[in-house]
Amino acid sequence: MAGGQFWNEIPKGCCWVGGILASVLGVLFLYRVVVRKRRRNGSECFKSMRTTKDEETRLANENGGGDFDVIVVGAGVAGSALAYTLGKDGRRVCVIERDLLEPNRIVGELLQPGGYLKLIELGLEDCVDKIDAQQVFGYALFKDGRNTRLPYPLEMFKSDVSGRSFHNGRFIQKMREKAATLPNVQLEQGTVTSLLEDNGTVKGIQYKTRTSQELTAYAPLTVVCDGCFSNLRRSLCDPNVDVPSCFVGLVLENCNLPYANHGHVILADPSPILFYPISSTEVRCLVDVPGQKVPSISNGEMANYLKTVVAPQVPPEILDAFVAAVDRGNIRTMPNRSMPAAPHPTPGALLMGDAFNMRHPLTGGGMTVALSDIVVLRDLLRPLRDLNDAPALCKYLESFYTLRKPVASTINTLAGALYKVFCASPDEARKEMRQACFDYLCLGGLFSSGPVSLLSGLNPRPLSLVLHFFAVAIYGVGRLLLPFPSPKRIWIGARLISGASGIIFPIIRAEGVRQMFFPATVPAYYRAPPVK
Ligand SMILES: Cc1cc2nc3c(=O)[nH]c(=O)nc-3n(C[C@H](O)[C@H](O)[C@H](O)COP(=O)(O)OP(=O)(O)OC[C@H]3O[C@@H](n4cnc5c(N)ncnc54)[C@H](O)[C@@H]3O)c2cc1C
């Protein structure tokens, strides 16, 4: 090529190459502007003040590039604890939560000591600090003017181990903040509308931002933690939900409970009433109302019910504060749901928290079960670096359903059985069972520490639960037959035993007899992690 020709050609080539470069840069610039704008207008990132995630990676993820290892739907108790746990283990986690403002609800306010131990295992124990949480050292049980203290058996633990009660929203906000401090956890506001499935494998989620933009995110594992009203669990389990009653919630101010730093259970008519501190100046009252309908709050029926039916059964020390709380009128209600865990193991997805399994909240066990499940899942996932083989992972994670059983089934069964025993009934046999249960717990020693350690999650042993339950029934029958059994008393005793069996056996059947009592005979118990 002659020199002149060369110099003639170069500028042409330069223009051509430069043009392409300029176009690419222009497109990239426009793309960044558009995506940034969409992001600013749309989904609100919880840690947007701290950092914003690389937009290119985000788009790659949306297009199935797999920027995340795990997607967590919902950042309530289970979702935020899970996001932190998996994030701490080095997973890239995307959490989509419908509302990142501090929740204000009457649920999840008393964490049992067994749940606190799980918080420690997960490194989340500081989430109960600086929220005015109160230590809880046990329960006090009231019936017909008598009462007894049932301390948690905490002698073998460090002094900070106890129950904790708090405002649920403050606790959740602390866990969300802690999860969001991890650079590999992205916490974003949005409502998940569906799971994205391909050939029976869940590949990710579709979600709507606050400005109604439809976005998608993909990951090899999606954990659905969208709570008790879950819309997404349908394809992942058999949601056999029962609503035996509702809780009516009030806050009592500046009053002293008869037993400081204790949960109080009143065996009232028609069903139990609970009191426990939720801050240094506030006491939560939860009144159980059987059935799915509660008296209307708006037309004053509820206030009337609380003053005429409930107030006469409230301990005198807190009666004035109770009436004042009714008069202040900030009355909230919540259905009490129970749902046995009945998963359809699905590649790419898992249920967790209330979306997966619920029990009556009388014994305050929901958060303990959720946190315990997270510990089980974390330990199962730890040996796996790659979660991409969805069918193999799904098969392996079937062991989760058995490994969680000792804790979950003990707490679930106790909650369901105790609720039934604690409800008032006109039936003589049920009355005897209720009284026998109160008197059995009043005996103290093993008779109170055994059931309390089951309830608190400190000793989750299903067999011990069944033994205590039938010991109560036999204690009731013994009292009926001694000193002189009459035909009527023998008949009531027989009905007491049959009633007790009718309470506990259906719950055990729903939990799964084999998984509950003989987990080691379930093949899934021994599943080894897929080799990859
Ligand atoms: C009246 C009552 C009292 C209770 N008291 C206690 C107690 O004292 N102690 C105890 O241990 N347990 C208690 N429980 C149970 C406890 O509240 C639950 O077990 C616990 O909150 C379960 O946590 P979770 O994360 O599954 O659900 P939640 O904590 O409810 O979290 C679900 C999250 O998912 C979000 N979400 C829902 N749908 C979507 C969606 N489509 N997209 C994105 N996000 C979504 C929600 O906004 C929410 O933040 C109580 C329950 C009730 C009903």
Side-chain angles (χ1 to χ4, degrees):
M1 191 186 287
Q5 229 179 331
F6 175 82
W7 289 112
N8 278 344
E9 290 300 313
I10 287 293
K12 246 194 220 168
C14 268
C15 282
W16 197 67
V17 173
I20 290 176
L21 266 177
S23 313
V24 169
L25 285 174
V27 168
L28 271 178
F29 175 75
L30 273 175
Y31 160 72
R32 286 180 72 86
V33 169
V34 168
V35 174
R36 255 202 200 141
K37 192 167 173 224
R38 189 181 68 172
R39 216 178 159 182
R40 216 174 292 133
N41 293 343
S43 55
E44 289 194 0
C45 207
F46 189 76
K47 54 184 177 186
S48 56
M49 279 165 283
R50 190 167 61 80
T51 170
T52 50
K53 208 165 158 56
D54 183 357
E55 304 299 345
E56 279 88 10
T57 348
R58 180 186 167 83
L59 195 75
N61 176 60
E62 284 173 11
N63 291 334
D67 191 30
F68 300 111
D69 299 311
V70 183
I71 292 169
V72 176
V73 180
V77 176
S80 45
L82 180 69
Y84 174 74
T85 304
L86 297 182
K88 208 173 64 160
D89 272 5
R91 313 273 175 199
R92 295 159 307 160
V93 184
C94 168
V95 193
I96 307 293
E97 163 56 44
R98 189 173 48 195
D99 186 357
L100 285 172
L101 293 176
E102 183 174 307
N104 178 6
R105 6 184 243 178
I106 64 170
V107 310
E109 295 174 319
L110 197 158
L111 179 66
Q112 297 294 345
Y116 182 73
L117 288 174
K118 297 294 169 189
L119 267 194
I120 295 176
E121 263 192 78
L122 297 172
L124 283 164
E125 69 275 23
D126 54 347
C127 293
V128 295
D129 293 342
K130 299 191 185 129
I131 56 170
D132 200 13
Q134 302 298 299
Q135 278 198 280
V136 178
F137 298 111
Y139 277 90
L141 199 57
F142 292 69
K143 184 174 188 294
D144 303 330
R146 286 174 60 205
N147 66 68
T148 185
R149 194 172 81 86
L150 308 170
Y152 291 135
L154 294 169
E155 302 77 22
M156 281 153 51
F157 298 94
K158 285 204 293 191
S159 64
D160 71 308
V161 176
S162 64
R164 290 290 192 289
S165 52
F166 38 65
H167 282 260
N168 171 271
R170 294 178 189 168
F171 176 55
I172 285 182
Q173 234 33 20
K174 285 279 252 179
M175 289 203 291
R176 287 175 179 172
E177 277 164 22
K178 191 151 176 172
T181 56
L182 298 174
N184 46 331
V185 174
Q186 179 177 306
L187 178 51
E188 201 170 323
Q189 183 156 311
T191 299
V192 176
T193 48
S194 61
L195 301 176
L196 299 172
E197 277 191 57
D198 182 20
N199 264 335
T201 297
V202 173
K203 300 277 186 183
I205 53 164
Q206 178 150 36
Y207 66 103
K208 248 187 196 167
T209 65
R210 261 217 322 218
T211 50
S212 295
Q213 274 183 299
E214 294 270 5
L215 300 179
T216 53
Y218 294 86
L221 182 62
T222 299
V223 188
V224 176
C225 312
D226 58 346
C228 61
F229 299 108
S230 173
N231 287 323
L232 300 169
R233 66 176 152 220
R234 250 164 294 146
S235 64
L236 304 176
C237 71
D238 275 331
N240 193 359
V241 179
D242 181 31
V243 186
S245 66
C246 297
F247 263 150
V248 177
L250 300 158
V251 174
L252 279 56
E253 288 176 354
N254 298 311
C255 66
N256 293 323
L257 284 166
Y259 294 90
N261 297 89
H262 280 67
H264 291 56
V265 182
I266 321 297
L267 300 192
D269 191 352
S271 54
I273 308 166
L274 305 181
F275 294 94
Y276 50 86
I278 52 170
S279 75
S280 48
T281 57
E282 295 158 300
V283 167
R284 164 68 69 207
C285 169
L286 291 176
V287 177
D288 185 81
V289 177
Q292 300 187 15
K293 269 189 79 182
V294 293
S296 158
I297 296 178
S298 55
N299 69 11
E301 269 176 24
M302 177 65 85
N304 186 43
Y305 176 81
L306 292 172
K307 282 187 178 172
T308 56
V309 178
V310 179
Q313 308 183 69
V314 168
E317 297 92 326
I318 48 175
L319 180 57
D320 288 347
F322 177 81
V323 174
V326 177
D327 287 338
R328 265 197 313 279
N330 186 14
I331 302 171
R332 317 270 302 269
T333 66
M334 188 75 188
N336 294 330
R337 306 170 145 232
S338 76
M339 184 186 84
H344 299 158
T346 307
L350 207 63
L351 283 167
M352 199 60 79
D354 276 11
F356 175 44
N357 185 200
M358 295 183 279
R359 75 291 313 147
H360 195 285
L362 171 73
T363 56
M367 295 190 290
T368 299
V369 172
L371 294 170
S372 165
D373 283 353
I374 290 169
V375 171
V376 174
L377 181 65
R378 175 200 65 181
D379 293 349
L380 282 173
L381 290 181
R382 260 195 180 154
L384 300 175
R385 277 299 93 208
D386 182 3
L387 306 178
N388 275 299
D389 186 348
L393 181 65
C394 177
K395 197 103 199 103
Y396 169 58
L397 287 182
E398 279 177 22
S399 57
F400 168 73
Y401 304 118
T402 305
L403 291 169
R404 67 182 291 274
K405 276 289 163 175
V407 178
S409 67
T410 305
I411 290 176
N412 294 345
T413 309
L414 187 62
L418 220 48
Y419 177 68
K420 290 209 165 113
V421 172
F422 279 180
C423 281
S425 164
D427 179 64
E428 276 301 319
R430 289 283 294 274
K431 271 189 198 165
E432 284 296 336
M433 181 71 182
R434 192 177 188 228
Q435 189 62 44
C437 189
F438 180 78
D439 293 339
Y440 182 89
L441 292 167
C442 286
L443 292 174
L446 253 185
F447 303 105
S448 71
S449 68
V452 173
S453 66
L454 293 167
L455 178 148
S456 59
L458 291 170
N459 178 26
R461 278 198 265 162
L463 193 59
S464 166
L465 164 62
V466 174
L467 291 177
H468 277 292
F469 189 80
F470 279 104
V472 169
I474 290 163
Y475 179 64
V477 174
R479 287 152 24 120
L480 277 168
L481 302 188
L482 293 173
F484 306 110
S486 67
K488 188 181 169 202
R489 285 169 157 258
I490 293 173
W491 174 236
I492 294 175
R495 284 202 298 116
L496 192 156
I497 294 285
S498 113
S501 311
I503 286 174
I504 200 155
F505 287 139
I507 307 177
I508 291 176
R509 205 176 312 125
E511 287 293 325
V513 177
R514 193 166 164 202
Q515 279 189 320
M516 197 167 163
F517 297 104
F518 313 104
T521 69
V522 179
Y525 188 79
Y526 302 100
R527 292 269 151 84
V531 272
K532 204 171 175 199

